[in-house]
Amino acid sequence: MLSQVPAATWSKLSAHIAQTMGLHFPPQRWEELKRGLAGAARDSGFEDAAKYVDWTLSVPPSTEQIQVLASHLTIGETYFFRDQKTLDALVQTILPELIRSRRGHDQRLRVWSSACSSGEEPYTLAILLHQLLPDLRDWQVSIMATDINPHFLRKATAGSYGEWSFRNAPTWLKQRYFKRTPEGRYAIIPEIRKLVTFAHLNLVENDYLLPTININAMDIIFCRNVLMYFTPSQVDRVIGRLSRALVEGGWLAVGPSETSKALFPRFVSVNFPDAILFRKGNAPVPGAIKELSPRTGSAAPAAHREAETLQPALAKTQAAPDVLATALRLYQQRHYAEVADTLLATCGDRQTAPAVLSLLTRALANQGRLADALTWCERWIAADKVAPAAHYLHAMVVLEQGDAQRARASLQRTVYLDHDFVLAHFALGNLARRCGKSAEAARHFSNAQHLLRACRADDPLPEADGLTAGRLAETLASLTNSETAS
């Protein structure tokens, strides 16, 4: 009986699962962990689930054992053509540019769906490439799809789907790319199925360069709505491995709630209409947003919003105006290291305007220099104690450092100063969710949803760097639906 398993054993087991699978099960989520372990015990032939727990902790984890656990501890929720704005950026800019640059001499494309679940995502990518490449037969196209859950992979390999998988798909999809089965389901056509290779992979393993699946030199990697389930210590390692699997100039797509630039110091964040993707390297991107009015449907980068407050602050600092103007221009060009060097040389120990401290904090955080960013963020707070953005960025930095308790305190100060700060409510909900506090998470998510109802779908959100109210509303709906389903 699992009720007889002592708390110390559950602590060891949750640490074991975090190390081998990256999944985070703090004490508040132990009931969820117990339900998953009960099912895994049955599948592993144990009548007594407590003995299965002891066995799991007593033997080195095998691939088969991790697969069984994964099938009971992970939940997949996906459908065809999910996150249309990211797909639009892919179809309208990223893939056409790749195709133009390689046509006639190096006709290859490599794409990886790193947490493919039941296969709707990689098949969507295959369909898009089929439409963009009339001479597809002359190209070497490789779409690798991996997942840790063997049940999902079996469904993906079968390629047979019900109506629910098409809930957000264009009307032509089923007619052109699927065949109706006698059971009333829809089977992907062979021409698309053969473009995708499915394989088992644990994203927290040390090496993705396995000869059996050949994950390297990828042009595009999709890793959406995955990082949020990992422990903070695993997230950075996984992002590093994803970076190494990409070619220089390659693209990484993550979920809307995972687009914190502090997480991706190895990448340049690139704004598209209502979507943010990350690029390895600094090559210019035709079609990416440089600066747009919020009414265009995409938020201007945070640096451009800083321009509105930076000019009045110039009179309050001893720095030369041309130096600060240079720093702002460099920030808009995403040359964060040069911004930091310029402002650090200017600021020194002098009294500095809050807007300048804000810009410096952001530049340091965008480089992944979290300790330095924290130091200057705290100076910003000291200079302007009632600035909600300062407390919010403080929360984001300490959260990246793994200090959830300090992050929660800073987020609470943020909403105290500005109750309408949507992203602070959302972040508090995510923190509560990670700790297994479902009721608290639901309350914070409900606050965020209430505030979003007063916004237009294309309204940019403060401190969201391109995320719109509509996109965040979709993310919240997905989160609350998955909580209800579980």
Side-chain angles (χ1 to χ4, degrees):
M1 297 289 292
L2 288 177
S3 59
Q4 299 173 353
V5 176
T9 301
W10 285 116
S11 294
K12 291 180 182 177
L13 183 64
S14 61
H16 171 80
I17 290 171
Q19 181 179 1
T20 57
M21 301 171 62
L23 301 179
H24 188 39
F25 286 95
Q28 296 84 353
R29 294 185 64 196
W30 282 357
E31 288 303 317
E32 179 184 347
L33 178 60
K34 290 176 183 179
R35 291 193 297 270
L37 263 292
R42 288 192 300 270
D43 285 357
S44 299
F46 284 80
E47 295 183 2
D48 186 342
K51 291 183 178 179
Y52 173 74
V53 172
D54 291 338
W55 174 75
T56 299
L57 291 172
S58 64
V59 298
S62 66
T63 299
E64 181 181 0
Q65 185 181 358
I66 292 174
Q67 288 178 352
V68 172
L69 279 170
S71 66
H72 290 277
L73 297 179
T74 58
I75 299 172
E77 197 277 332
T78 187
Y79 46 86
F80 287 102
F81 282 78
R82 186 181 186 183
D83 193 0
Q84 184 64 52
K85 296 301 182 181
T86 296
L87 298 179
D88 288 345
L90 198 69
V91 170
Q92 296 170 12
T93 302
I94 295 172
L95 283 173
E97 180 63 22
L98 272 171
I99 291 169
R100 280 194 296 270
S101 67
R102 295 180 181 174
R103 188 177 294 282
H105 63 94
D106 186 19
Q107 297 194 167
R108 58 173 179 82
L109 288 170
R110 291 176 59 78
V111 182
W112 177 21
S113 171
S114 64
C116 68
S117 188
S118 47
E120 288 92 335
E121 179 177 271
Y123 284 136
T124 295
L125 298 174
I127 289 167
L128 293 177
L129 282 171
H130 183 269
Q131 294 179 326
L132 287 169
L133 286 170
D135 55 343
L136 178 62
R137 293 180 181 180
D138 299 329
W139 285 73
Q140 294 181 1
V141 173
S142 171
I143 302 175
M144 177 59 65
T146 63
D147 203 277
I148 194 174
N149 190 320
H151 172 72
F152 293 162
L153 289 172
R154 287 192 291 271
K155 181 177 178 181
T157 302
S160 178
Y161 299 93
E163 291 286 354
W164 189 237
S165 291
F166 298 89
R167 58 190 180 275
N168 197 43
T171 55
W172 49 260
L173 180 64
K174 287 188 289 189
Q175 181 179 357
R176 295 186 193 175
Y177 291 100
F178 290 83
K179 297 293 184 184
R180 192 73 179 265
T181 69
E183 298 78 21
R185 297 178 65 79
Y186 296 88
I188 193 85
I189 61 174
E191 187 176 0
I192 299 300
R193 185 199 300 266
K194 70 181 182 181
L195 294 176
V196 184
T197 301
F198 293 97
H200 175 268
L201 182 68
N202 180 353
L203 284 174
V204 303
E205 288 178 341
N206 291 328
D207 190 6
Y208 294 169
L209 302 179
L210 303 174
T212 53
I213 54 178
N214 191 27
I215 292 177
N216 63 83
M218 292 291 171
D219 297 301
I220 303 167
I221 297 177
F222 273 63
C223 188
R224 296 191 290 183
N225 306 308
V226 179
L227 301 175
M228 67 176 72
Y229 296 107
F230 287 166
T231 62
S233 61
Q234 294 286 14
V235 169
D236 186 61
R237 288 194 286 271
V238 169
I239 292 173
R241 293 166 191 155
L242 294 175
S243 176
R244 289 190 291 274
L246 277 169
V247 298
E248 190 67 19
W251 293 88
L252 174 64
V254 297
S257 62
E258 301 166 322
T259 55
S260 167
K261 289 187 289 187
L263 285 175
F264 303 94
R266 305 167 183 85
F267 294 84
V268 174
S269 64
V270 181
N271 283 24
F272 294 91
D274 291 333
I276 300 173
L277 283 87
F278 293 90
R279 195 175 199 190
K280 181 179 176 180
N282 294 292
V285 185
I289 296 174
K290 298 298 182 184
E291 179 176 5
L292 292 178
S293 163
R295 292 191 178 274
T296 63
S298 291
H304 296 289
R305 293 194 296 273
E306 283 296 306
E308 298 177 3
T309 57
L310 185 58
Q311 296 303 324
L314 296 180
K316 301 179 182 180
T317 179
Q318 301 175 36
D322 59 334
V323 173
L324 292 171
T326 298
L328 181 59
R329 185 179 68 254
L330 290 169
Y331 191 95
Q332 292 169 340
Q333 296 169 350
R334 303 181 185 276
H335 298 319
Y336 302 123
E338 296 176 53
V339 174
D341 291 343
T342 300
L343 293 181
L344 285 170
T346 299
C347 294
D349 294 326
R350 308 175 220 179
Q351 183 178 1
T352 307
V356 178
L357 295 170
S358 167
L359 192 63
L360 179 55
T361 298
R362 297 171 195 277
L364 291 166
N366 286 334
Q367 294 177 75
R369 295 170 59 182
L370 299 182
D372 292 336
L374 184 59
T375 296
W376 287 95
C377 189
E378 289 173 347
R379 288 187 61 174
W380 177 15
I381 292 171
D384 188 1
K385 294 181 176 61
V386 295
H391 293 281
Y392 177 77
L393 289 176
H394 185 273
M396 294 299 100
V397 172
V398 297
L399 185 60
E400 294 305 323
Q401 293 179 320
D403 195 338
Q405 185 173 355
R406 288 180 71 194
R408 185 172 184 270
S410 291
L411 289 168
Q412 288 174 330
R413 284 191 287 271
T414 304
V415 297
Y416 175 78
L417 293 167
D418 182 3
H419 185 72
D420 293 341
F421 205 119
V422 178
L423 282 188
H425 290 286
F426 177 62
L428 282 167
N430 276 329
L431 278 176
R433 185 171 181 265
R434 286 171 56 180
C435 295
K437 299 178 180 179
S438 300
E440 182 181 334
R443 184 174 71 254
H444 291 304
F445 288 153
S446 177
N447 288 338
Q449 289 174 315
H450 174 75
L451 292 169
L452 288 170
R453 292 190 190 104
C455 304
R456 300 178 306 177
D458 60 353
D459 281 345
L461 296 174
E463 304 303 326
D465 196 23
L467 184 67
T468 62
R471 287 288 303 282
L472 183 58
E474 292 174 3
T475 299
L476 280 164
S478 177
L479 284 172
T480 53
N481 289 339
S482 65
E483 291 290 337
T484 303
S486 61

